[in-house]
Amino acid sequence: MSNLFEKMKEAVASVLPISIIMTILCFILKLNTFTIYSVILSSILIIIGIGLFSYGAEISMIEIGKNVASDVLKTKKLSLIISVALAIGIVITLAEPNIKVLASQITAIPEVLLIGSIAIGVALFLCFSFIRILLQINMKIVVGILYGILLLILLISSNNSIPLAFDAGGVTTGPIAVPFIMALGMGFAKGVSKKWREDSLGLVAMCSIGPIIIVSLLTFFMKGGLTYEYNISNELTTSLEFSKNFANEIPVSIKTTLVSLLPILLLFIIYNIVNKKIVHRNINRTLSGLFISFVGLILFFIGVNAGYTKVSYIVGIELYKQLKKFIIPIIVLMGFTIVKAEPAVVVLTSEIEKMTQGSLKKNLVTTTLSLGVSIAVFIAIYRLLNGISIRYFLLVSYALAIILMIKSPKLFTMLALDSGGAVSGPLSTSILLPVLIGICYQMNGNVLTDAFGVVGLTSISPLITLQALGILYDIKMKKTKKTKDLDEEIIEYKWGE
């Protein structure tokens, strides 16, 4: 229970800053009382939800992933490894609620087709990741080649399709996928590599690249243009509307969470039946963890969908009407604080601290991620207000990321790759994106070309900031080593005298 209490404390520290900002904005923009109540209630639900989810994921999904990967590897059958990787890739895609949110907003592509395309991308690249670990191929070389392909896609794709494709890559790795994929990587790498801590990383990034490529191909061969339908609600004006708003979201969130976690539960059951490894103590612990994660995600999604998303649309519209001159610093501040509250970031940074045996502290990694996302959000709002294509910013960002890979230590590159998927979670898609859509709506802009793309930009930001941190860390370590060597030489010289 002490661990659960710690998770709750972390959740409060993570969510409180963005909650305060949203509440203050509601007062400044003179939004009505029920809108402010929505933000407060949503914040409470999200805090409890993140705390429960983080605790539950640690004792269930992460353990399932490690065990499945480890046992599949022991068979030494490449065909089985590939089959399991493909199946898991499809399962975690269908389980990721973020993808459904994005797919429901694109009317020109059937939802099943878009989700199916993303699932194929995740499955193929998860499979490719397993093979890379098995053959011990340098991750930097693999990512360099794949980023080269992404640069080519940026050069030949239409302005409408680029933001959607890169956002699709970002939403793929959310609160369900990140802990599960990281656990798979750890379980698989431990049985293959002596440097398993480094080699276990990178799977999240690979699973983000796959959907970008597949969705780009889908939009390239599609006939007709992509369209977007606005879904902006009016402010709540009565206590009855307020109550109904949250009550109506309960069954929807239960259904969404069931669909998200059921595939993982089925995978766990099938795995235990096939391997005949059911141990009552372990199964009870895992099922308890899944149930706690289930309750946590329900609360989280009620808070996000009934409160933050709807309020964010209104905040975006009113910001443009009332505080146009201050939009950029306000949105950047929101971006900085949102990262700390992302469930996947909370899980990822905890795992990074454990994997590096405390050499990379959770707070340092989180702050670095927040700075990167702040820069990305600045670019997103600046280009929205000035009508600049996202193509140029992504080209520069990916080119810079490739250059930094040359000098950055491998561990930092791998951490940066996985962090890119974690920062673009449900809060980014439910707060940042709706705020930008609200601004775009008020500007009479093109949502697909101007507002979409913020998720894609945030997902590339850690590759710049974390790798830069890695280079600075490496320089510091080399200086420390030189100082230490010099001290030893002085001591030796004096001893010799």
Side-chain angles (χ1 to χ4, degrees), residues 359-412:
S359 61
L360 279 178
K361 297 296 181 185
K362 180 176 180 176
N363 288 340
L364 175 63
V365 177
T366 305
T367 303
T368 306
L369 293 177
S370 295
L371 287 170
V373 170
S374 298
I375 296 167
V377 171
F378 169 79
I379 293 170
I381 185 63
Y382 179 80
R383 77 174 198 87
L384 167 59
L385 295 173
N386 293 279
I388 304 171
S389 172
I390 195 174
R391 187 195 308 269
Y392 310 113
F393 293 108
L394 287 173
L395 279 168
V396 172
S397 298
Y398 278 100
L400 183 57
I402 293 170
I403 293 167
L404 288 171
M405 278 182 203
I406 299 169
K407 287 287 184 181
S408 179
K410 184 182 175 184
L411 177 62
F412 279 86

Side-chain angles (χ1 to χ4, degrees), residues 478-490:
K478 285 176 180 176
K479 282 183 179 179
T480 304
K481 186 177 183 300
K482 284 180 181 178
T483 305
K484 186 179 178 182
D485 291 344
L486 184 62
D487 289 342
E488 287 175 356
E489 285 176 16
I490 292 168

Side-chain angles (χ1 to χ4, degrees), residues 90-105:
I90 292 170
V91 165
I92 59 178
T93 304
L94 296 176
E96 193 54 64
N98 261 5
I99 297 170
K100 298 176 185 68
V101 173
L102 180 71
S104 65
Q105 297 184 69

Side-chain angles (χ1 to χ4, degrees), residues 400 403-409 412-413 464-478:
L400 183 57
I403 293 167
L404 288 171
M405 278 182 203
I406 299 169
K407 287 287 184 181
S408 179
F412 279 86
T413 298
I464 296 170
T465 52
L466 269 181
Q467 287 193 118
L469 176 67
I471 293 169
L472 293 173
Y473 181 83
D474 194 42
I475 292 169
K476 183 182 176 182
M477 288 296 102
K478 285 176 180 176

Side-chain angles (χ1 to χ4, degrees), residues 152-173:
L152 180 63
I153 287 170
L154 284 168
L155 290 171
I156 64 173
S157 297
S158 68
N159 286 333
N160 268 15
S161 64
I162 289 173
L164 171 61
F166 281 81
D167 278 359
V171 299
T172 301
T173 45

Side-chain angles (χ1 to χ4, degrees), residues 191-413:
V192 174
S193 173
K194 291 180 181 178
K195 296 180 178 179
W196 65 269
R197 284 190 176 87
E198 287 185 8
D199 286 333
S200 67
L201 297 167
L203 271 73
V204 174
M206 295 288 280
C207 290
S208 296
I209 294 170
I212 296 174
I213 295 173
I214 299 298
V215 173
S216 294
L217 289 172
L218 173 67
T219 56
F220 184 78
F221 290 106
M222 272 189 62
K223 294 180 180 179
L226 298 174
T227 58
Y228 174 85
E229 286 186 3
Y230 283 105
N231 185 24
I232 298 175
S233 306
N234 294 322
E235 282 193 83
L236 303 172
T237 55
T238 65
S239 57
L240 182 61
E241 285 182 357
F242 174 81
S243 303
K244 279 186 175 180
N245 179 48
F246 280 89
N248 291 341
E249 194 58 44
I250 293 172
V252 177
S253 295
I254 291 172
K255 181 182 176 182
T256 301
T257 309
L258 271 174
V259 171
S260 297
L261 291 179
L262 193 59
I264 293 173
L265 176 61
L266 291 174
L267 178 67
F268 172 69
I269 292 169
I270 293 167
Y271 161 75
N272 278 288
I273 291 172
V274 171
N275 287 278
K276 298 177 181 178
K277 279 194 169 187
I278 295 180
V279 179
H280 289 294
R281 186 182 65 182
N282 292 341
I283 196 169
N284 287 340
R285 177 180 167 84
T286 302
L287 290 175
S288 298
L290 284 172
F291 179 75
I292 292 168
S293 297
F294 173 72
V295 174
L297 273 183
I298 289 172
L299 296 176
F300 179 83
F301 285 121
I302 292 171
V304 165
N305 296 329
Y308 274 12
T309 301
K310 293 177 180 179
V311 173
S312 295
Y313 284 126
I314 299 166
V315 166
I317 292 169
E318 294 302 321
L319 272 175
Y320 190 79
K321 284 182 182 178
Q322 301 180 40
L323 298 172
K324 189 176 177 181
K325 291 181 180 179
F326 302 100
I327 281 182
I328 291 179
I330 290 170
I331 302 297
V332 168
L333 182 61
M334 289 175 71
F336 183 87
T337 54
I338 280 172
V339 177
K340 296 174 182 288
E342 287 287 7
V345 170
V346 175
V347 174
L348 177 71
T349 50
S350 297
E351 288 302 307
I352 287 173
E353 188 169 343
K354 289 178 189 175
M355 289 169 64
T356 58
Q357 298 176 329
S359 61
L360 279 178
K361 297 296 181 185
K362 180 176 180 176
N363 288 340
L364 175 63
V365 177
T366 305
T367 303
T368 306
L369 293 177
S370 295
L371 287 170
V373 170
S374 298
I375 296 167
V377 171
F378 169 79
I379 293 170
I381 185 63
Y382 179 80
R383 77 174 198 87
L384 167 59
L385 295 173
N386 293 279
I388 304 171
S389 172
I390 195 174
R391 187 195 308 269
Y392 310 113
F393 293 108
L394 287 173
L395 279 168
V396 172
S397 298
Y398 278 100
L400 183 57
I402 293 170
I403 293 167
L404 288 171
M405 278 182 203
I406 299 169
K407 287 287 184 181
S408 179
K410 184 182 175 184
L411 177 62
F412 279 86
T413 298

Side-chain angles (χ1 to χ4, degrees), residues 62-76:
I62 290 175
E63 291 304 314
I64 293 170
K66 286 179 184 176
N67 293 334
V68 169
S70 177
D71 287 344
V72 168
L73 181 63
K74 287 175 185 176
T75 65
K76 296 181 179 179

